[in-house]
């Protein structure tokens, strides 16, 4: 079984503020970490490997510092890792990111299964996985809650639908995005940290891709444009009401109506 | 290709640190006095606008735009399981009508499934111009390849300018697949949508866990796609008479094959989780006896709310431990929270103070809950709540009678 896990480095905290006047992102501390949802994808891969054998490769896209999370994946038990990184990928939106990673995937050898976390904590879109599957021409199932059975040429999973749970069988090669809590992720091991400290992390850049058309990557390859970022409006008005019970309840029901809760 | 260039000759010792500091992504590096930009660059252009003057420059290459006149109408994906239409669909129709009015576009629905032609008539009561129905046995269950194929066929035939898809587990799986097929933009979980005169859709969405908002446009490709969560937009009122028409679409059945088999569908047992609740009624020590929970339940039912509480109520066994708000319980961030007889100790307030609207009822005008409440109501819950229940019931009755 050849398993590929897609992981991303995200800011260590989501407590990011925008300066309301300049529109500049304010970041206190530049800590970064592995996207927490990706830990579930790695754990799922490890469990499958324990049953079926094979190799687990992790792939990430980002600046050279993102090698850190690939090392972390090694500490959990991943066998190989590669980082898709190139200055020309800068400014990529979801579509360009998905295309870039799928080009990177093609350089990682044959695969049966691609696993992704359900979303990232910085972008929160949950779109990269399904878009990659489209570019790779393979089927996908999103929001997988359980791996029910691993067969020779397929996997049976439970998926989360709006009002139902569905059990479905999907043939390899395919892509799954897994929900939080599919398995409890293990902690990184110190022993593995020592034994993998010199393991090579391959860097894949545009010149390695099959499709080297620069127009498809980075800002130019991105159909969406961020016009501006701004802080969410917060409701800081405070008022205090006093009166009789009847007056207060009437005032309250009128307010709830006005706010569309009734 | 658009690019960021550095005028190296304008870089000097006095401004190099300033330049590096201005980048929120640490993408500007100093390599022995030579400025290099690494792959962390998000092209936010802050270094051009806010960095030292004349150092960074952004050179934009004009991208070929699509002919926007060829793309007309706003399409809504009908979210359903086995023909049961998800209410987010009506909300999107409501929004689509508002957007369409700005540029005089028709509103379309695309309904993909099996044995749904009859159900499609329901949509005609919400003011759509045309419902396109793909009704095939292969489309009975949501499977990604045949659903994408039907959606693709709709886009190719109708050429809608914008597409709105509900951000349900189905929509969040299907919409990205379609956007990649057309190499077009998709913005997830939009909270605000506005139409420009030139048919560009302005999309606003939260990022970084809601700590920043981003305004996004998709100016050079069509269709422009957005997903929107349930209960964000407003559904239009149901009309007495249907309007618009239903068109049955033919599709080459060889496109409907799938590598997925749905084996079994079970109803989801809904486990209430206060962390996901949109409306919460929180009760505290002012509640005198367990039987008074019935009054709280009645109010909660009227507001479609979940009941939560403080630690003393959990310890007395009146509410489940999973319903405790606070540092030793859950953190909640609902759209509305009403606290009843809660003093608002720090350990409680920390678990709820980022809620969007906070109503607090408490007898003590000095209770610290009034420091976090948007609407502080000084009074006795036993006087206010029963009357409030009556007032809400009355207002509901009025709406039905209209």
């Amino acid at each position: 079984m050849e398993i590929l896990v897609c992981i991303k480095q995200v800011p260590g905290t989501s407590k990011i503020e925008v300066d309301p006047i300049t529109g500049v992102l304010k970041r206190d501390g530049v800590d970064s970490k592995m996207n927490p949802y990706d830990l579930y994808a790695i754990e799922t891969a490890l469990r499958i490997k324990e049953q079926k054998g094979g190799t687990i490769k992790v792939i990430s896209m980002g600046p050279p510092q993102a090698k850190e999370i690939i090392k972390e994946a090694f500490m959990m038990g991943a066998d190989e890792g590669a980082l898709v990184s190139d200055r020309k990928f800068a400014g990529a939106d979801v579509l360009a990111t998905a295309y870039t990673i799928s080009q990177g995937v093609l350089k990682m050898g044959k695969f049966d299964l691609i696993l992704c976390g359900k979303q990232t904590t910085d972008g929160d879109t949950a779109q990269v996985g399904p878009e990659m599957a489209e570019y790779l021409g393979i089927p996908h199932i999103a929001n997988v809650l359980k791996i029910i059975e691993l067969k020779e040429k397929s996997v049976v999973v439970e998926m989360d639908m709006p009002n139902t749970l569905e059990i479905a069988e999907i043939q390899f090669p395919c892509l799954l995005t897994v929900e939080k809590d599919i398995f409890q992720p293990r902690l990184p091991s110190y022993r593995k940290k020592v034994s993998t400290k010199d393991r090579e992390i391959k860097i894949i850049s545009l010149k390695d891709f099959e499709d080297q058309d620069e127009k498809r990557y980075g800002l130019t390859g991105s159909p969406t444009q961020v016009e501006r970022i701004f802080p969410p409006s917060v409701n800081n008005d405070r008022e205090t009401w006093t009166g009789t019970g009847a007056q207060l309840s009437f005032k309250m029901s009128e307010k709830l109506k006005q706010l569309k809760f009734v | 290709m658009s690019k960021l260039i550095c005028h190296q000759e304008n870089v000097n010792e006095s401004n190099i640190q300033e330049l590096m500091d201005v980048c929120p992504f640490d993408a500007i590096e100093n390599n022995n006095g030579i400025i290099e930009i690494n792959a962390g660059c998000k092209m936010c252009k802050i270094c051009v606008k806010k960095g030292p003057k004349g150092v960074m420059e952004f050179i934009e290459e004009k991208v070929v735009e699509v002919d926007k006149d060829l793309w007309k109408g706003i399409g809504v994906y009908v979210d359903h399981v086995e023909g049961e239409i998800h209410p987010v669909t009506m909300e999107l129709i409501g929004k689509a009508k508002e957007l369409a009015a700005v540029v005089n576009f028709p509103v379309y629905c695309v309904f993909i499934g099996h044995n749904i032609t009859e159900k499609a008539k329901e949509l005609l009561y919400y003011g759509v111009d045309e419902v396109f129905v793909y009704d095939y046995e292969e489309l009975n269950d949501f499977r990604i390849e045949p659903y994408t194929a039907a959606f693709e066929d709709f886009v190719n035939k109708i050429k809608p300018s914008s597409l709105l898809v509900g951000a349900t587990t189905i929509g969040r799986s299907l919409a990205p697949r379609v956007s990649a097929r057309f190499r077009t933009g998709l913005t997830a979980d939009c909270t605000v949508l506005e139409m420009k005169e030139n048919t560009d859709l302005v999309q606003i969405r939260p990022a970084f866990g809601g700590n920043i908002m981003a305004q996004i446009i998709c100016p050079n490709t069509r269709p422009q796609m957005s997903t929107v969560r349930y209960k964000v937009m407003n559904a239009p009122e149901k009309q007495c008479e249907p309007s618009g028409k239903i068109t049955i679409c033919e599709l080459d059945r060889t496109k409907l094959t799938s590598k997925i088999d749905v084996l079994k569908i079970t109803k989801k047992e809904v486990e209430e989780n206060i962390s996901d609740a949109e409306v919460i009624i929180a009760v505290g020590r002012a509640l005198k006896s367990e039987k008074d929970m019935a009054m709280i339940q009645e109010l909660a039912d009227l507001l479609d709310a979940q009941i939560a509480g403080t630690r003393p109520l959990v310890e007395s066994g009146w509410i489940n431990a999973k319903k405790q708000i606070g540092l030793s319980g859950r953190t909640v961030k609902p759209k509305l929270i009403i606290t009843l007889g809660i003093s608002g100790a720090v350990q409680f307030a920390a678990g709820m103070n980022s809620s969007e609207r906070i109503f607090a009822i408490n007898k003590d005008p000095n209770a610290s809950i009034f420091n976090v409440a948007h609407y502080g109501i000084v009074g006795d819950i036993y006087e206010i709540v029963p009357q409030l229940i009556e007032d809400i019931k009355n207002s509901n009755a009025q709406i039905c009678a209209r």
Side-chain angles (χ1 to χ4, degrees):
Chain A
M1 189 87 169
E2 299 295 317
I3 307 170
L4 206 62
V5 186
C6 303
I7 60 178
K8 186 186 182 188
Q9 192 177 44
V10 297
T13 166
S14 61
K15 286 214 166 41
I16 287 184
E17 286 176 41
V18 189
D19 188 311
I21 296 153
T22 61
V24 176
L25 278 179
K26 288 193 286 189
R27 302 198 309 170
D28 35 344
V30 285
D31 266 6
S32 52
K33 62 177 183 188
M34 181 163 359
N35 172 39
Y37 294 108
D38 298 344
L39 298 171
Y40 299 96
I42 294 177
E43 184 63 34
T44 306
L46 292 165
R47 301 288 177 110
I48 293 173
K49 185 186 166 182
E50 283 165 12
Q51 261 191 50
K52 289 273 165 181
T55 47
I56 298 173
K57 298 173 187 170
V58 292
I59 183 168
S60 186
M61 173 176 162
Q65 305 90 286
K67 277 184 174 178
E68 287 309 310
I69 59 161
I70 294 176
K71 286 183 185 159
E72 195 182 331
F74 289 162
M75 290 178 225
M76 287 177 74
D79 302 294
E80 292 175 35
L83 179 68
V84 180
S85 186
D86 197 310
R87 155 96 179 78
K88 296 201 167 77
F89 302 152
D93 72 352
V94 177
L95 192 86
T97 301
Y99 189 65
T100 308
I101 305 174
S102 63
Q103 282 288 311
V105 165
L106 295 176
K107 293 280 118 191
M108 301 280 287
K110 194 185 137 312
F111 62 88
D112 300 300
L113 177 63
I114 299 180
L115 293 168
C116 304
K118 71 164 190 170
Q119 63 187 58
T120 58
T121 51
D122 54 353
D124 295 320
T125 69
Q127 288 173 187
V128 172
E131 292 191 8
M132 277 177 63
E134 171 67 20
Y135 283 130
L136 293 166
I138 58 174
H140 80 266
I141 292 181
N143 301 87
V144 170
L145 295 162
K146 272 183 203 156
I147 303 286
I148 292 178
E149 192 188 351
L150 285 159
K151 296 185 176 175
E152 204 52 45
K153 289 182 175 155
S154 65
V155 56
V156 180
V157 300
E158 181 179 274
M159 58 177 171
D160 189 20
M161 299 290 275
N163 304 307
T164 54
L165 297 175
E166 297 194 9
I167 312 259
E169 181 168 352
I170 181 167
Q171 292 171 31
F172 299 132
C174 62
L175 182 146
L176 304 177
T177 77
V178 301
E179 276 286 342
K180 179 170 162 272
D181 296 337
I182 183 167
F183 294 110
Q184 182 62 38
R186 66 196 64 189
L187 293 170
S189 129
Y190 178 72
R191 194 172 293 178
K192 286 207 174 75
K193 179 179 180 173
V194 174
S195 66
T196 62
K197 76 178 191 332
D198 299 322
R199 189 180 285 169
E200 191 208 350
I201 296 173
K202 201 163 60 173
I203 299 284
I204 304 174
S205 55
L206 183 62
K207 63 178 185 345
D208 305 308
F209 283 176
E210 275 173 26
D211 180 356
Q212 302 196 4
D213 181 357
E214 289 190 10
K215 287 198 169 61
R216 293 202 146 173
Y217 303 96
L219 190 70
T220 318
S222 300
T224 60
Q225 294 177 5
V226 177
E227 278 192 317
R228 64 182 180 119
I229 52 173
F230 56 98
S233 59
V234 279
N235 169 19
N236 278 329
D237 296 344
R238 311 221 181 276
E239 41 190 273
T240 306
W241 304 346
T242 51
T244 66
Q247 287 168 338
L248 292 171
S249 66
F250 181 74
K251 205 168 172 185
M252 193 169 166
S253 71
E254 288 300 305
K255 195 67 180 178
L256 289 172
K257 248 182 275 176
Q258 187 197 330
L259 297 171
K260 284 198 274 187
F261 289 109
V262 174
Chain B
M1 189 167 181
S2 302
K3 56 189 167 192
L4 208 52
I5 57 165
C6 176
H7 293 285
Q8 214 54 249
E9 65 280 7
N10 295 337
V11 179
N12 53 49
E13 272 178 31
S14 63
N15 66 15
I16 195 158
Q17 195 58 41
E18 181 194 348
L19 178 63
M20 284 163 60
D21 287 344
V22 78
C23 178
F25 304 103
D26 291 329
I28 302 177
E29 287 175 10
N30 174 5
N31 187 1
N32 293 322
I34 305 291
I35 288 295
E36 286 182 355
I37 296 169
N38 68 33
C41 174
K42 303 255 190 281
M43 289 281 181
C44 67
K45 290 169 259 175
I46 279 174
C47 52
V48 181
K49 293 179 213 153
K50 311 281 176 197
K53 280 218 162 20
V55 176
M56 301 303 292
E57 189 188 352
F58 182 72
I59 298 179
E60 195 165 3
E61 186 186 296
K62 208 64 190 137
V63 187
V64 189
E65 286 194 13
V66 282
D67 184 350
K68 291 173 188 173
D69 291 338
L70 297 177
W71 297 80
K72 289 196 168 76
I74 297 177
V76 171
Y77 173 75
V78 180
D79 198 285
H80 75 102
V81 173
E82 296 181 326
E84 217 167 292
I85 299 171
H86 192 287
V88 70
T89 310
M90 312 322 177
E91 297 177 352
L92 295 184
I93 292 172
K95 190 71 212 180
K97 284 165 72 176
E98 276 174 36
L99 298 172
V102 178
V103 287
N104 205 14
F105 271 169
V107 173
Y108 304 125
C109 280
V110 54
F111 198 175
I112 302 167
H114 184 44
N115 289 334
I116 51 169
T117 308
E118 206 45 43
K119 301 251 170 65
K121 289 180 182 161
E122 170 76 15
L123 298 162
L124 299 181
Y125 288 91
Y126 292 92
V128 299
D129 295 287
E130 197 166 355
V131 181
F132 295 88
V133 175
Y134 291 84
D135 193 333
Y136 287 95
E137 201 185 339
E138 293 90 331
L139 299 167
N140 193 49
D141 299 311
F142 173 69
R143 293 182 301 172
I144 195 68
E145 313 100 307
Y147 268 63
T148 310
F151 209 136
E152 177 187 13
D153 187 75
F154 165 75
V155 174
N156 282 332
K157 275 184 189 148
I158 308 305
K159 299 223 177 306
S161 175
S162 299
L163 288 171
L164 309 184
V165 181
T168 63
T169 42
I170 290 179
R172 287 164 73 103
S173 184
L174 179 60
R177 194 98 198 189
V178 174
S179 83
R181 191 156 297 182
F182 287 93
R183 288 190 174 270
T184 190
L186 168 62
T187 307
D189 299 331
C190 298
T191 52
V192 176
L193 293 171
E194 278 160 23
M195 185 60 77
K196 287 190 189 178
E197 293 286 330
N198 70 352
T199 76
D200 280 355
L201 187 62
V202 177
Q203 306 158 98
I204 296 180
R205 73 175 300 259
F208 288 101
N211 287 301
I212 65 167
M213 305 296 287
Q215 178 171 324
I216 294 165
I217 52 166
C218 179
N220 301 317
T221 56
R222 289 291 184 269
Q224 358 178 32
M225 299 181 64
S226 315
T227 65
V228 180
R229 289 192 186 211
Y230 179 37
K231 288 189 178 173
V232 171
M233 303 302 177
N234 298 320
E237 276 191 42
K238 194 171 172 176
Q239 308 166 1
C240 302
E241 293 298 322
S243 61
K245 63 173 181 177
I246 293 175
T247 303
I248 309 292
C249 301
E250 301 278 328
L251 190 61
D252 177 2
R253 285 182 100 150
T254 56
K255 288 184 176 169
L256 296 179
T257 55
S258 175
K259 289 184 171 151
I260 301 170
D261 278 318
V262 175
L263 308 174
K264 191 176 152 202
I265 300 178
T266 48
K267 264 262 170 277
K268 206 186 286 185
E269 282 175 36
V270 193
E271 197 196 338
E272 284 199 341
N273 182 348
I274 56 169
S275 305
D276 304 330
E278 294 201 335
V279 181
I280 291 176
I281 310 281
V283 274
R285 252 196 281 224
L287 204 70
K288 288 175 192 152
S289 83
E290 191 173 5
K291 70 174 183 356
D292 297 339
M293 286 299 287
M295 165 179 91
I296 310 298
Q297 186 65 55
E298 192 177 3
L299 179 62
D301 290 344
L302 284 170
L303 294 170
D304 209 3
Q306 288 195 34
I307 297 176
T310 56
R311 188 156 162 179
L313 261 78
V314 171
E315 283 170 355
S316 65
W318 298 354
I319 60 168
N320 187 301
K322 283 184 184 165
K323 309 279 181 171
Q324 185 192 327
I325 295 175
L327 288 178
S328 53
R330 305 283 172 102
T331 301
V332 297
K333 201 181 165 187
K335 292 205 164 86
L336 168 69
I337 184 167
I338 301 176
T339 72
L340 303 175
I342 292 174
S343 60
V346 173
Q347 95 88 19
F348 172 81
M352 50 68 77
N353 59 12
S354 53
S355 305
E356 276 175 43
R357 305 268 177 192
I358 303 172
F359 284 76
I361 305 180
N362 202 301
K363 266 201 280 200
D364 176 6
N366 299 318
S368 47
I369 191 74
F370 292 134
N371 298 330
V372 297
H374 304 115
Y375 305 99
I377 300 156
V378 185
D380 185 342
I381 62 167
Y382 285 93
E383 284 175 27
I384 296 172
V385 173
Q387 190 60 45
L388 180 63
I389 290 172
E390 285 309 309
D391 289 348
I392 294 174
K393 274 186 187 165
N394 288 341
S395 59
N396 280 346
Q398 279 162 15
I399 289 169
C400 297
R402 191 148 50 96

